């Protein structure tokens, strides 16, 4: 158990008064959690302190070699005014897997969850009450050694910042257009695709920017070897309902093992759907689209929640999905998942954890 020292701010910031002020990840709360790691000493000095910038040496390892990992989670305000987290132990576990891949010292699950709970508790008044909003939680670790040799750092900082947020996409729950990327790749076997590390996202930005310029919200990545099989979208996993069955890429190393992804798969199986986790060729998706068998497509992610897709374009070929509105299964998944998260539906799965 961490012995967390708490120092509260003397000058709290003005909280957003309107849902439209929120957006995603733009406003930050009054406090942050910080602790450091030094080789030989382990993680030390856990504390919650007023939100502040870091002073960094220009030769700091993370600035040059991107030795960094992060997580994305949310705290939800329920109708009775309490605040709850969603499966924080899953984020803790994934953080450890990412840490292992990036040679970063692991943080035990209990410490990770305790740190998240404590900092959310301190900034509890920042958990928004507007409909469909939450407090986005961003835990991250970065390498702090000073020097330009390419080695694992011997010093790290673990930090958690909090951001009251609304929908990730400006479209909200309205279906988005997705561009299937056929030039760049996001991951390949043996690389870091399964880890939540900044480097994966840095490498994805160019394709995302190009797609946005021509009117798409994000890109759908194909496998890095044959550019044939669907993997994931920029900020979410993706699922396809074809002829009644649900297909999604397996998490075998190149795809992020999403907490929302696994929760949605559990719900779908409970409801009797067959879920196929494996290789799905983009050519088969497009064919199903042209034959009217591509019933629904949706992304899943902490930030994106359950996000309907209305159009896919691959090498100049475009398919429209359904009638351009959110499909019934996508809507039911969104309602059920967010119902559990905001405490509107009884949590029979033990997924939610009260912060208080
Ligand atoms: C999340 O869904 O929490 C993510 O981390 C995606 C992010 C890159 C916006």
């Amino acid at each position: 158990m961490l012995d967390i020292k708490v120092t509260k701010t003397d000058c709290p910031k003005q909280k957003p008064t309107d849902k439209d002020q929120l957006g995603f990840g733009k406003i930050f709360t009054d406090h942050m959690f910080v602790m450091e790691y030094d080789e030989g000493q382990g993680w030390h000095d856990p504390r919650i302190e007023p939100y502040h910038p870091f002073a960094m040496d220009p030769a700091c390892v993370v600035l040059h070699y991107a030795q960094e990992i992060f997580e994305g989670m949310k705290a939800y305000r329920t109708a009775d005014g309490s605040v709850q987290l969603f499966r924080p132990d899953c984020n803790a576990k994934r953080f450890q897997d990412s840490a292992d891949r990036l040679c970063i010292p692991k943080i035990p699950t209990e410490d990770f969850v305790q740190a998240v709970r404590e900092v959310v508790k301190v900034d509890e008044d920042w958990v928004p009450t507007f409909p469909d909003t939450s407090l986005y939680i961003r835990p991250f670790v970065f390498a702090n050694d000073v020097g330009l040799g390419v080695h694992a750092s011997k010093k790290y900082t673990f930090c958690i910042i909090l951001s009251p947020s609304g929908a990730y996409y400006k479209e909200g729950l309205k279906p988005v257009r997705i561009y299937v990327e056929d030039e760049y790749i996001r991951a390949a076997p043996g690389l870091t695709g399964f880890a939540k590390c900044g480097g994966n996202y840095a490498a994805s930005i160019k394709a995302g920017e190009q797609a946005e310029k021509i009117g798409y919200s994000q890109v759908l990545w194909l496998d890095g070897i044959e550019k044939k099989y669907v993997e994931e979208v920029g900020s979410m996993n993706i699922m396809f309902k074809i002829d009644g069955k649900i297909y999604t890429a397996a998490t075998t190393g190149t795809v992020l093992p999403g907490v929302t992804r696994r929760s949605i798969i559990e719900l779908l199986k409970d409801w009797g759907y067959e879920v196929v986790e494996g290789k799905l060729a983009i050519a088969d998706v497009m064919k199903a689209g042209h034959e009217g068998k591509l019933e629904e497509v949706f992304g899943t992610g902490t930030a994106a929640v359950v996000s309907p897709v209305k159009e896919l374009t691959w090498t100049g070929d475009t398919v429209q999905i359904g009638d351009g509105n959110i499909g019934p299964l996508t809507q039911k998944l969104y309602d059920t998942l967010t119902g559990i998260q905001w405490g509107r539906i009884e949590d029979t799965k033990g997924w939610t954890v009260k912060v208080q």
Side-chain angles (χ1 to χ4, degrees), residues 44-62:
H44 60 88
D45 286 315
R47 59 198 185 275
I48 291 167
E49 50 194 26
Y51 188 96
H52 63 82
F54 287 120
M56 288 176 110
D57 191 291
C60 187
V61 167
V62 68

Side-chain angles (χ1 to χ4, degrees), residues 241-247 273-274 293 295:
K241 180 165 180 263
I242 302 175
D243 237 355
K245 277 192 213 168
I246 317 298
Y247 296 83
Y273 283 96
E274 188 179 334
K293 293 181 183 159
E295 294 158 10

Side-chain angles (χ1 to χ4, degrees), residues 24 70 72 136 138 168 196 201 235 301-303:
F24 174 81
F70 70 96
Y136 186 76
R138 174 52 63 86
Y168 183 73
K196 214 157 169 60
Y201 293 81
S235 65
T302 298

Side-chain angles (χ1 to χ4, degrees), residues 40-115:
Q41 194 181 356
W43 289 106
H44 60 88
D45 286 315
R47 59 198 185 275
I48 291 167
E49 50 194 26
Y51 188 96
H52 63 82
F54 287 120
M56 288 176 110
D57 191 291
C60 187
V61 167
V62 68
L63 298 179
H64 301 270
Y65 305 128
Q67 199 191 0
E68 183 269 356
I69 56 169
F70 70 96
E71 268 304 317
M73 321 165 57
K74 283 176 175 171
Y76 306 85
R77 171 87 57 195
T78 64
D80 66 8
S82 64
V83 172
Q84 59 190 23
L85 304 171
F86 184 74
R87 312 189 80 175
D89 52 315
C90 295
N91 295 92
K93 166 74 175 65
R94 187 172 62 185
F95 206 45
Q96 290 165 3
D97 294 341
S98 301
D100 186 58
R101 181 63 182 82
L102 274 284
C103 281
I104 290 173
K106 292 182 189 171
I107 295 170
T109 299
E110 324 70 82
D111 294 354
F112 177 93
V113 175
Q114 185 196 352

Side-chain angles (χ1 to χ4, degrees), residues 146-164:
V146 173
L148 300 183
V150 183
H151 304 286
S153 178
K154 294 180 169 54
K155 294 159 82 74
Y156 297 87
T157 298
F158 173 42
C159 180
I160 306 172
I161 53 173
L162 309 169
S163 172

